[in-house]
Amino acid sequence: MEKVVIVLMTVALTRGFYIIEHYYMDAQRKATFNGLCGQTVEEPCVRVSSHSDTLGVVNYPPNNYCTVSFDAGEEAGYKLIFETFAVQSSKGGNCSDYLAIFNGKSDQSPSKRRGRYCGTGIPGRTHGFHGDSRYLFVKFVTDKKVEAKGFQFLAVKTRNEPCDVNQEFLCQAEKLCIDSRLRCDGVRQCDEGEDEKDCSDWEIVLGSLLQLGIGGFIGISCAVVIFVVILVITVCCFTCCRKRGKTG
């Protein structure tokens, strides 16, 4: 099982793919286990969820207070692409739980707040959520009750053109550059999906596998091992039954 994971990871890195890390805005989750609270993100692309819920049946935890800083570096910024969003809202539209997004390094200046979101309306539904500077600050707060499934978004580092042709890919519709390793990785980082067009069959298959992450690799490996074991047992039983039938 471990060998399968290592082989897939090695092939991916050799082909120049970028493996997107998955982090969680769960204050109870430590950084060792991809907890992101109090951390600063500087990677080309990360996936961020409110909490860990592989099967989609668990709500986010109560009494959560988590902040994350995004630092894109000089002459760059971050774009947030929300994949899912369901945060509890109380009667009257007031946000009892909320996700707040700020331009800058902190939430100290109310004027820099881009939005405070709850309910089921996806922020930046059409073209993602673009920061105005190199810094974005995100805060996720919940009350004592648990009534929603949470959110998941991609944070993609972007830069205005011209792009470095050796290291960047141009999203034509937005006129923004992204890391070239994100092309054909199975995820749309460009608004119009240009980064996932004209990909070879091999790139499509490998990109789809990469989006499963380490846990997905291990899960597939376990499934393959179980299938092989069942197949071997079935063949052995069938063979034994045939031999007994002949001798009988």
Side-chain angles (χ1 to χ4, degrees), residues 21-41 47-52 66-68:
E21 285 283 355
H22 198 159
Y23 296 104
Y24 305 95
M25 292 188 70
D26 181 351
Q28 299 175 10
R29 197 179 185 98
K30 297 187 180 300
T32 308
F33 300 99
N34 283 23
L36 197 57
C37 300
Q39 306 295 314
T40 298
V41 174
R47 179 172 275 112
V48 180
S49 295
S50 53
H51 63 301
S52 179
C66 179
T67 62
V68 179

Side-chain angles (χ1 to χ4, degrees), residues 75-128:
E75 299 182 354
Y78 269 102
K79 175 175 70 169
L80 305 186
I81 306 171
F82 281 84
E83 298 172 318
T84 61
F85 193 86
V87 175
Q88 174 193 355
S89 58
S90 59
K91 293 181 179 180
N94 295 321
C95 297
S96 51
D97 298 346
Y98 64 86
L99 182 74
I101 303 174
F102 298 80
N103 282 319
K105 296 182 180 181
S106 71
D107 60 348
Q108 297 304 307
S109 176
S111 63
K112 291 186 176 182
R113 191 175 78 185
R114 295 291 302 275
R116 176 170 167 164
Y117 304 97
C118 61
T120 57
I122 294 181
R125 178 182 293 276
T126 305
H127 295 298

Side-chain angles (χ1 to χ4, degrees), residues 105-211:
K105 296 182 180 181
S106 71
D107 60 348
Q108 297 304 307
S109 176
S111 63
K112 291 186 176 182
R113 191 175 78 185
R114 295 291 302 275
R116 176 170 167 164
Y117 304 97
C118 61
T120 57
I122 294 181
R125 178 182 293 276
T126 305
H127 295 298
F129 188 101
H130 295 261
D132 291 340
S133 66
R134 66 179 283 181
Y135 299 106
L136 271 181
F137 186 82
V138 179
K139 179 169 65 174
F140 179 43
V141 179
T142 69
D143 61 12
K144 297 179 181 180
K145 298 180 180 180
V146 181
E147 296 182 4
K149 297 299 182 182
F151 57 82
Q152 182 168 285
F153 65 82
L154 286 174
V156 185
K157 186 182 294 188
T158 65
R159 193 175 63 81
N160 292 326
E161 59 178 342
C163 303
D164 181 341
V165 295
N166 296 317
Q167 298 182 349
E168 296 176 321
F169 176 82
L170 175 64
C171 295
Q172 291 284 352
E174 306 157 80
K175 303 301 180 184
L176 292 175
C177 309
I178 62 173
D179 193 301
S180 59
R181 294 173 296 173
L182 299 176
R183 184 178 177 276
C184 296
D185 67 345
V187 177
R188 288 176 49 154
Q189 279 94 3
C190 295
D191 286 350
E192 302 300 325
E194 305 99 307
D195 54 316
E196 298 303 314
K197 295 179 180 178
D198 301 320
C199 302
S200 67
D201 293 339
W202 167 249
E203 288 173 326
I204 293 173
V205 171
L206 186 56
S208 298
L209 289 174
L210 286 178
Q211 298 321 304

